[in-house]
Amino acid sequence: MAQLSTKDLTTLPVGRLGLIPLESCQSLGSKVNDWLVKWRQERNHQELNSFAFEGYQRDSYILEVQTPRFGSGEGKSVITESVRGDDIYLMVDVCNYSMTYRISGFTNLMSPDDHFQDLKRVIGAIGGKARRVNVIMPYLYESRQNKRVGRESLDCATALQELTGMGVENIITFDAHDARVQNATPLHGFETVQPSYQFIKALLRNEEGLHIDNEHFAIISPDEGSMNRAIYLANILGVDMGMYYKRLDYSKRVNGRHPIAAYEFLGPKLEGKDMILIDDMISSGDTVLKIASLLKKRGAGRIYICSTFGLFTDGMDKFDEGFKNGVFDKLLTTNLVYQTPELLEKPYYINCDMSKYIALIIDTLNHDMSVSHLLNPVDRIKRCVNNYMDQYK
């Protein structure tokens, strides 16, 4: 994956780069900053000393921001340095449940709502002084509340309109639950990025003896919602794909929903094939583990569960049991959301670091250049697979 080189510096920066990772995203933001510092210190160009590149090479691009709370639980944001004329990139992890704040003597866990409010507070503290404000929100806030069924609120669309109404120019998210929600803000930038390349790269670095061809490998979608992801990856790799769909019992309702009568499979024969089971998020994990067990009954070989967001809302016990019973072989998720130390220590877990990818996007956008080549990783995936397969020729 090539970042901007000297010869690529054909455009001026939009403004001096400023990176604001909120406290919820400090770890990822620090890694992104390290990549940006490294690349820009290595970059040489005759115009780097001109006023147009003022502040281009710095020891850190992170701006100091505080989001303190009053005893009542109310909050505010304070930016302790100038952002006038800067090209600002805000990073927030709305799923970071490890953070707390005090309210009237009690300790309160920060919810996605709290993180989103802190994001708006920082935008409010910028006060329109920045040249451009961009939001990098890996897990799109309220992304699962993207359509109306009955009399419901459309929270994701409302949130996007709030951000653009406050002056945000670009919103960058990853693997949005439904990318069509960008219709809520049609005159502003909205990019939903797929981590397909990072999954393949991490898998091939950690597993040996895989044969990525139609005779030995397959891509599986656990439901119809993830079918496009599976088709995309299967087409690039040149392998078959399959999917499961839920057959519902519409004669009954349990807890307001029609119960699942059965899981039905659509696809080719799977006997002996290794496979990737891909989805956008793991919440409780019940569905993906159920599908993995059904795949094993069909004679599947090694099963690699890949999910952009590992939320694990019910803990890791069921995954420990599933791994012990041979239901799956490896679990891959990204560091785009909070990861517990317990998760990182699991013998079956592979962490997919997204910091370099985010830094590439920021570096490119800061020069007001197209990111299309970054959003479509077909060539990088094929090159990665070819290099891997060459080891076994």
Side-chain angles (χ1 to χ4, degrees), residues 17-34 36 61-63 65 67 88-96 99 115-116 118-120 122-123 126 133-139 170 172 174 335-337 353-359 361-362:
L17 177 60
L19 186 63
I20 302 180
L22 273 68
E23 189 177 353
S24 60
C25 213
Q26 283 289 331
S27 177
L28 181 60
S30 178
K31 292 180 180 179
V32 170
N33 179 66
D34 290 341
L36 292 169
Y61 298 97
I62 295 179
L63 304 177
V65 174
T67 53
I88 300 294
Y89 292 82
L90 290 149
M91 297 178 62
V92 60
D93 175 12
V94 298
C95 294
N96 191 336
M99 297 174 58
H115 289 300
F116 187 68
D118 275 354
L119 172 65
K120 292 195 294 182
V122 176
I123 297 172
I126 292 172
V133 176
N134 313 271
V135 169
I136 299 176
M137 188 186 298
Y139 181 92
N170 297 299
I172 301 161
F174 284 78
N335 61 340
L336 293 172
V337 294
D353 183 18
M354 301 297 294
S355 61
K356 185 177 182 181
Y357 199 9
I358 294 174
I361 293 172
I362 291 175

Side-chain angles (χ1 to χ4, degrees), residues 184-254:
T185 56
L187 301 181
H188 294 79
F190 182 97
E191 302 291 350
T192 175
V193 187
Q194 298 292 331
S196 306
Y197 169 68
Q198 283 74 17
F199 282 145
I200 297 298
K201 182 173 68 172
L203 177 62
L204 298 186
R205 282 184 174 179
N206 288 273
E207 287 293 287
E208 297 180 353
L210 292 175
H211 297 281
I212 313 296
D213 58 47
N214 202 36
E215 298 297 321
H216 303 91
F217 208 79
I219 308 295
I220 304 296
S221 170
D223 53 35
E224 60 274 20
S226 288
M227 191 167 62
N228 286 338
R229 299 178 184 88
I231 291 174
Y232 176 77
L233 200 52
N235 285 342
I236 295 175
L237 299 178
V239 301
D240 285 333
M241 68 82 59
M243 66 160 287
Y244 276 87
Y245 71 92
K246 301 171 185 175
R247 183 153 54 84
L248 303 179
D249 184 354
Y250 287 102
S251 66
K252 301 177 183 177
R253 275 190 176 272
V254 178

Side-chain angles (χ1 to χ4, degrees), residues 104-149:
S104 299
F106 296 95
T107 299
N108 195 38
L109 287 172
M110 288 191 70
S111 71
D113 294 343
D114 292 315
H115 289 300
F116 187 68
Q117 284 299 118
D118 275 354
L119 172 65
K120 292 195 294 182
R121 290 184 178 108
V122 176
I123 297 172
I126 292 172
K129 302 301 187 296
R131 182 162 300 169
R132 187 173 66 177
V133 176
N134 313 271
V135 169
I136 299 176
M137 188 186 298
Y139 181 92
L140 186 60
Y141 175 68
E142 290 288 357
S143 60
R144 286 190 280 184
Q145 189 53 30
N146 62 303
K147 61 183 178 181
R148 179 170 283 154
V149 180

